[in-house]
Amino acid sequence: MRAAAARQPATEPAYGWWQQRLRQAVRPEFAGELIRLDVDNPVFARGRCRVDGCERGAWSRLLCPGHYTRWRQQGQPDMVSFAASTGPLLGKAGWDLADTFDLRSLPLPARLEVAFIIQCYHDDRAVRLLPGMVRALVRLLAAARVGSLFDKPLDQWLADERGRGAHRDRVRGILRYGWRHLSDLAGGVDAESEFAADIWRAAVLGIPSRGIGQIRFDGIGQLWLREAAKRWARFRLSTGKALSSVDIDIRSVRWLSRFLAAHHPRVMRAAALTRPILEHFLSWFSTVGLAGHTTNNHLVCLRGFLEACRRHRWLPGLPTSAAIYLDELPRRPQPLPRFI
């Protein structure tokens, strides 16, 4: 559903409605061709440069890029002495834009798309946005001569960026991040569309989370098994289970999916998931090298999944014998005495 929405902007030559939606979403401080950075914002810098009199944002060694280059050219002297003795960078071409995202080379709506991505980084406050990342993204879009990021599929953008400059891995990250947020904006994301996707994000679903922000179903290769896992996960969330607990539930189903793909690829429907296949899975799972309590947890989760699917008919045709029994669960290892 989200993928279909992501292709919509490219179908209209003038990008009229998409450009209008971007203008509504991008706040005034991010809407210009030159976006001035707030160097005191931890997303855009690590504070101000430690050199006296320099107000630019700091990155490496708490120096701005210009003073960091000067420090290296001088043989990397003592940092305290260098910061106290060196002067500000004056009259050097380009330094007036050092703390600015320059989007002038991009046409609309590509410029607004990049501005919206920068705004999302600012609002999420999760990952730092290095100026070089944005410069590399702008160069990539300008070289492609496209009007919008959606003029090419995400896989093609990632392939184009592979093997480029020093920020190539980070640029691929910003491409994925930006594509996701722009797709949400294009498609009007809501909880139902998120439940239909193969990656559920806690922020979109309005679910509080600690340490984990999403649940992934794309690792379950069998569509019939993936859809049943989604229904089980949604049911578990509705009963108040934590996102981290439901994520562990889905990991157990991923183990079963991996086993079926490797050893029983002909199992293409629930009716073919027989008791002998589950017995084979139990023997195989005991050899994958997981800790004893982890193995026990996954099998308990998988047992609950099969029971729920049978009760709610999420896997039509599932044999009644396709179950994991209590006496088949490995014992949890006994913890050492507390004084040890």
Side-chain angles (χ1 to χ4, degrees), residues 143-275:
R145 299 181 181 276
V146 296
S148 167
L149 192 66
F150 290 126
D151 284 350
K152 297 167 66 173
L154 177 59
D155 290 343
Q156 185 60 55
W157 285 118
L158 296 175
D160 291 347
E161 182 57 24
R162 187 178 293 114
R164 289 170 64 95
H167 291 285
R168 59 183 180 276
D169 292 334
R170 291 191 175 105
V171 174
R172 298 183 76 194
I174 195 176
L175 280 168
R176 291 191 179 96
Y177 175 90
W179 186 275
R180 184 173 71 247
H181 283 273
L182 289 168
S183 298
D184 290 347
L185 181 66
V189 67
D190 56 18
E192 287 304 318
S193 62
E194 193 73 6
F195 280 130
D198 290 334
I199 301 175
W200 294 359
R201 291 163 292 164
V204 176
L205 297 176
I207 299 174
S209 61
R210 292 184 178 178
I212 177 172
Q214 61 184 18
I215 300 177
R216 303 187 67 101
F217 299 89
D218 50 355
I220 303 175
Q222 300 79 6
L223 184 60
W224 57 271
L225 189 60
R226 185 189 310 169
E227 292 305 314
K230 286 183 181 181
R231 299 188 68 175
W232 185 47
R234 185 167 184 174
F235 174 78
R236 298 274 285 169
L237 289 173
S238 69
T239 62
K241 295 296 181 183
L243 193 77
S244 56
S245 297
V246 178
D247 179 62
I248 294 174
D249 293 337
I250 300 307
R251 288 187 210 173
S252 68
V253 183
R254 286 204 295 265
W255 277 110
L256 177 61
S257 172
R258 188 181 307 175
F259 165 78
L260 293 176
H263 299 281
H264 296 277
R266 296 185 179 180
V267 176
M268 299 180 180
R269 54 193 177 93
L273 187 62
T274 61
R275 171 66 189 179

Side-chain angles (χ1 to χ4, degrees), residues 37-57:
L37 305 185
D38 178 5
V39 298
D40 294 319
N41 189 310
V43 174
F44 299 130
R46 293 191 173 100
R48 295 179 183 271
C49 181
R50 66 167 74 190
V51 173
D52 294 339
C54 183
E55 297 296 324
R56 298 184 177 91

Side-chain angles (χ1 to χ4, degrees), residues 293-311:
H293 68 279
T294 303
T295 299
N296 184 284
N297 284 342
H298 282 312
L299 291 180
V300 168
C301 293
L302 193 58
R303 179 174 184 267
F305 169 69
L306 293 172
E307 289 181 352
C309 288
R310 190 175 294 107
R311 179 187 308 163

